[in-house]
Amino acid sequence: MSVSQPNDGNPTAATSGSDGNRTKRRSVVVFLLVASAAVAAAIILNRIGSTPNAEIVAEGARVLEKGDYSAALAMAEEALENDSNDPAALLLAAQSAVGLEEFDAALEFLDRIGDDGNSRAVEARILSGELLLMQFQRLSAAEDQYRRTLTQDETNPLVHERLAYLLGLQGRRWEAIPHRLALIRAGQASPLHLYLLSVDLDSIENPEEIEQYADAAAADPGPRLALARIATGAGNYDRAEELLQQALKLRPDLAEANVRLGETLLASGKNSAFAVWSRELPQAVLDHPVAWVVYGHWAERTGQKEVEARCLWEAVRRNPNDRRSMYRLGRVLVELDRADDAEVFLDRARRLEAYAKAAEVAYHVGTDDHLQDAASLADDCGLLWESSGWSQVALDQDPLSTWARERAERLRANSAELALSRAVPESNPTRKIDLTDLPLPTLNSAPDDAPTADQAEPDTAVDGNLVVVTFADRAAECGMNFQYENGGQPRTHGIVRMYEVVGGGVAVLDFDHDGWPDVYFAQGGEWSGESRRNPHSDRLFRSRGDQRFDDVTQHAGVAEERFSQGAAVGDVNNDGFPDLFIANIGPNRLLMNNGDGTFSDAAEHVPGDSAQYSTSAVVADLNGDANPDVYVVNYLAGSDLFTKTCGDPQRPRSCLPHEFAAAEDHLLLNLGTGEFEDVTSDAGVDAGGGKGLGVVAADFHGEGSLSLFVANDVSPNFLYVNRTADSGGRLAFQERGLSSGVALNGNGRQESSMGVAAGDVDGDGRVDLFVTNFDNETNTLYLQTDKMLFVDATARSGLADKPLPLLGWGTQFLDADLDGWLDLLLTNGHINDLRDHGKPYQMPPQFFRNQGGGRFTEHAAESLGPFFSQWRLGRGMARIDWNRDGLDDAVISHLDAPAALLTNTSAETGRALAVRLVGVHSSRDAIGATLTARVGTRTLVRQLTAGDGNQCSNERRLIFGLGEAADVDRLEVRWPSGRRQQFAHLLAGTDITLVEGRNQPVLIRHTEP
């Protein structure tokens, strides 16, 4: 992440590389230094005696104030002829030289003033630093002057501000911390510095400015360090290594350069060089927490869990505010079966992440409520200086703010005992949990160098031929004509209110039981105060089985007058006909399938809040009584949710989700009588604080019960682990997102989770998760490594890089080439039109092919078909094989264009076996059933899940890609009831139905010609 620091924190905001702007910069420098010359003149006038030399200097100071720099310089030189070391005369000469733009001469005068601690010496060091920083752009030389100032005036706010700036600019953010805290102590807290304190140490401040410093000072290590950090972020490790070596040659003791060199060598797979780095690392550098973070990464790569835990413990002992290391340590301790110890670190990671997000909002939005939230969360983390700082900011905005005054006074009373460090010692969890019994790292020998990310295997099929995957949008020619209406004008005016952001979902179901999948689209509409006007409706399209769809909305009785967001499918009453649950803004709706092509509204049997903002839902049997229950995902709450806009009143934009309260999700228990009971709190799915958008129900732990993953926007994701004791018993869940590793990404950061794909992507038989996020975040792949334990495998899977700042929504796993590996499809689109800020608004969809083992490569748009070159505001996505050719397709909704029926048109693929399941002892839908196919030497595992991500419901049909195999040797089904069945020699190219308890499959059709 890069932090672009606003101009008010940058003393060289007007600088540029052009000659014209250099002149402008020089004028700014003259203004700044001459302004401080007036201060210096006052010092001169107040501190000189009554000697003849002093009288000359005093007169020169008066002339300087009038702007006659030549006369002032002449008087200073006259005084210096009498006493060449007169500090007052030297200071006068320096200020006069600045006025005359004779900057080299000014520095020479200032260098002759000794550091004797008086005001002239302090002023000399400050002015030297200002000249070196702003005029000569020599970061290291300026730093030396400012540090010399602090030895004489340790509380000087200007010096602390300058050091914070130039250290942050170089990426030395660990060293910048005490200077930012000193500003708070001096009563000069600013939202900017408070926000920068909360940002990870890996960030670079003002990356766009560092080039000019590198050009200006060839012998300065600081710019090279910053450029190296930028190169590392771009994956250019060789360039980063070169720059870091240059920086260390200029300054071998530069701790940040030392630790970042180790980080770069490790990231690039140069293990031999990393071992040399470790042996030669200066002992003093081990006081830097990032050194231990680097060793922790090394231990992780080499599989040394105990060493990794010890290294991360050493990192957080030195920096108890490193939420990434805190989180990783907790996760490692879980793997080491030290769950109680892990919880201490995971809890602090969660609280630090919550504070970091609150600080970001307080900085960007800055209302009293958000400032109070940031102050309270800082207090909760033991960050008392920052809590005081947010209180200062609030009082600056509103001197009558009661909470801010009380908090500021309380913290001021204790400030004398507070050290100048971010967290109070007792908040450091390493004081409670001692891991010194675990081994330290030893690098006696280096393993072979590892391949880097750019050395991935070529994109080939199993037989070695180049894979060509293509898709085409068939919606228009098939009669599937649908356009989501969000109540605004996304094409022309962008999205300005939160309810316009999310878009509509898609559900796939065979509602008439003819063997062909039909499609239901949720619809929004025009919002008028309390409800939607109804020129639009949800739509149901029936497949005729002949490559065409008919709109049967009115005939089926599903016309929906509410503002719909998502749709979920499930056979609620187990009669063999799928029902629909519609997630709305306002009352939700349950549409019961009558079995004759029509539906009946059963909303009165579904408890719910008429003011709720529901986005997604899942219909599945959660307590094992064979009656599908309903989990409803809710998003935001607040009286101004449907009216509030942000940004420039002349060009409003949608607000941040942070600016609204979270809405509580609801769990509705199916009583088996047609009625539902809200058991949210009783069942333990009331974690709170989630702003849900996506959901998946799956048997993650392989024990026959369904757990729930909820993707939350700008808050930690939930993983509700099913702890229901007996089938049909009282529902019981435990929220384990943090300890399982899916609440945050691998860096301990919460993301803007939206779409979710679920499936086994690495071939180990476990359900993995892929979550789409915001444009400045990665889309995150969570691989399940053990029962209910996940790791962030985004980087190693090849999914970390975003060539464009894309904002992801709907996503699904599907085996596009039928090679047995699940590929990845996703749709993108921004929520605000920021094209005038250099960001795309409409965005392209993406396809990533799984090369095997969960390693993905993105296919170029031009090779995939015209649809991938057409940028849109993508939203919902559901998986479907609409033409029954054995290839998974997708239905995609957009805000600014008609929905797409994205059809897999790949000319050469493997063969397939398509399987539909019918539960008998289990619920009819058989959600959670796991199928294990033995195909030659390979084992393929697929699970029937529900929820299916962001507002969507996939076709309840599993497709096995078999490559060139003629059949499946053996297929085992583990039904949700616990029953197991095996089927042998199932032919490729067929579409079958398996009924629980029936020994023979039912052949539906052949999927091959």
Side-chain angles (χ1 to χ4, degrees), residues 221-238:
R224 278 148 187 77
L225 171 59
L227 291 173
R229 300 285 305 282
I230 295 169
T232 298
N236 191 348
Y237 299 121
D238 288 340

Side-chain angles (χ1 to χ4, degrees), residues 52 168 240 356 469 473 622 652 674 728 812 829 850:
V469 174
D473 180 8
L622 299 176
Q812 297 295 342
N850 190 338

